Amino acid sequence: MKGLRLALVGAYPPPYGGISTHVQRLADRCMQQGIDCVVFDYSRPARKAGNVLNLRQPVSWCRLLFHRFDIIHLHVSGTRWMVPACFALLARLKGARFVLTYHSLRGNFDIPGQAAMKLTLKAAARIIAMNTEIREKLSGLGAAPEKIAIAPSFLPPAVKEEDAEEVPAQTREFIANHTPVIAANAFSITEYQGADLYGIDMCLELVAALKRDYPRIGLVVFLSQPSNKARFADYQRRTRELDIA
């Protein structure tokens, strides 16, 4: 594995979400194994990490286009087909192997997207799906079953002192004064088919139920983007009703 040149394309934190956290931990693990890994971040803000380049800056595209890579590994979600198609073509032009990871795939591709994805999936050397539902959708688009691997997105974090220092003192004090502590994470407050996608409402009900036996229980919920202010206010109201505020 040493000496392998990898272009890892995806979101990179902050903000911390499913894809960005996975890409950050995957990049750390690759570098620990001696892989020459460069992250090409397609999210909005510019990053500070030394091996991370932001694709919103032209110089980053120069590095991607003209630097030699053995593998281009793209991380995506959703049905926007142009990004996978473009990177599949780029990998072919550069003579690199193309790896495609789908973190989520809700909805369906339009007719042009279906045609483009058939070519994209055919060009991929390896396709990684986070669950069987994604695998079945990709198979229906023409992906060869032997190319698809199912691999959950969780990777154990590498504990870094600078990451621990970013945790606010108020949060560390809260954790020190409560036991046990339940931690939950969500990129944003998101509804899917009328329900809380990340189950924050279930966490509140769980804590209320456990409080009878564990009066010092605590709950920490990390939100990268506290969107949906109405739902957020509803959660605050619910904590007061459950006497866990």
Side-chain angles (χ1 to χ4, degrees):
M1 298 292 285
K2 288 185 178 180
L4 189 69
R5 292 173 291 264
L6 169 66
L8 201 55
V9 184
Y12 192 90
Y16 287 86
I19 295 180
S20 62
T21 300
H22 177 84
V23 168
Q24 182 188 48
R25 294 178 180 180
L26 180 58
D28 288 343
R29 178 169 294 191
C30 287
M31 289 187 292
Q32 289 170 359
Q33 295 183 7
I35 297 172
D36 181 8
C37 176
V38 179
V39 177
F40 292 91
D41 173 30
Y42 55 55
S43 54
R44 198 169 295 276
R47 304 304 174 208
K48 302 180 180 66
N51 68 318
V52 180
L53 300 175
N54 193 279
L55 287 177
R56 295 177 183 271
Q57 300 171 339
V59 66
S60 301
W61 281 102
C62 292
R63 178 75 178 274
L64 180 58
L65 291 171
F66 299 113
H67 186 78
R68 181 182 172 188
F69 290 103
D70 300 300
I71 297 174
I72 295 178
H73 185 177
L74 175 65
H75 293 256
V76 292
S77 63
T79 56
R80 291 175 291 184
W81 55 267
M82 289 188 66
V83 172
C86 288
F87 277 97
L89 177 60
L90 176 63
R92 184 178 182 86
L93 293 174
K94 291 175 64 66
R97 291 166 65 86
F98 178 58
V99 178
L100 178 61
T101 292
Y102 263 96
H103 288 257
S104 66
L105 189 54
R106 292 188 293 272
N108 298 302
F109 292 95
D110 56 21
I111 294 176
Q114 293 176 22
M117 284 305 299
K118 285 183 179 180
L119 297 174
T120 299
L121 296 171
K122 184 178 180 180
R126 194 68 165 166
I127 302 163
I128 301 172
M130 294 298 163
N131 54 49
T132 56
E133 181 181 355
I134 295 174
R135 180 186 64 184
E136 294 307 314
K137 283 190 174 183
L138 295 176
S139 296
L141 290 168
E146 63 272 14
K147 283 187 178 181
I148 306 176
I150 295 179
S153 63
F154 175 76
L155 293 173
V159 179
K160 300 178 182 178
E161 186 175 343
E162 59 268 26
D163 290 342
E165 291 174 353
E166 290 184 3
V167 178
Q170 182 181 7
T171 303
R172 292 198 297 267
E173 182 180 353
F174 179 88
I175 292 172
N177 292 330
H178 292 78
T179 183
V181 175
I182 296 174
N185 174 68
F187 179 72
S188 63
I189 299 175
T190 305
E191 294 184 17
Y192 180 63
Q193 295 182 347
D196 181 340
L197 181 65
Y198 295 106
I200 299 173
D201 52 347
M202 297 172 65
C203 290
L204 300 181
E205 302 293 335
L206 173 65
V207 170
L210 292 173
K211 185 181 175 183
R212 292 187 293 268
D213 296 321
Y214 301 95
R216 294 182 60 203
I217 193 170
L219 171 67
V220 176
V221 179
F222 179 83
L223 292 170
S224 293
Q225 296 183 351
S227 55
N228 198 331
K229 294 181 179 179
R231 174 79 80 156
F232 187 76
D234 184 59
Y235 289 152
Q236 291 178 309
R237 176 188 58 79
R238 187 59 178 151
T239 62
R240 294 189 293 270
E241 291 177 351
L242 295 171
D243 193 27
I244 59 172

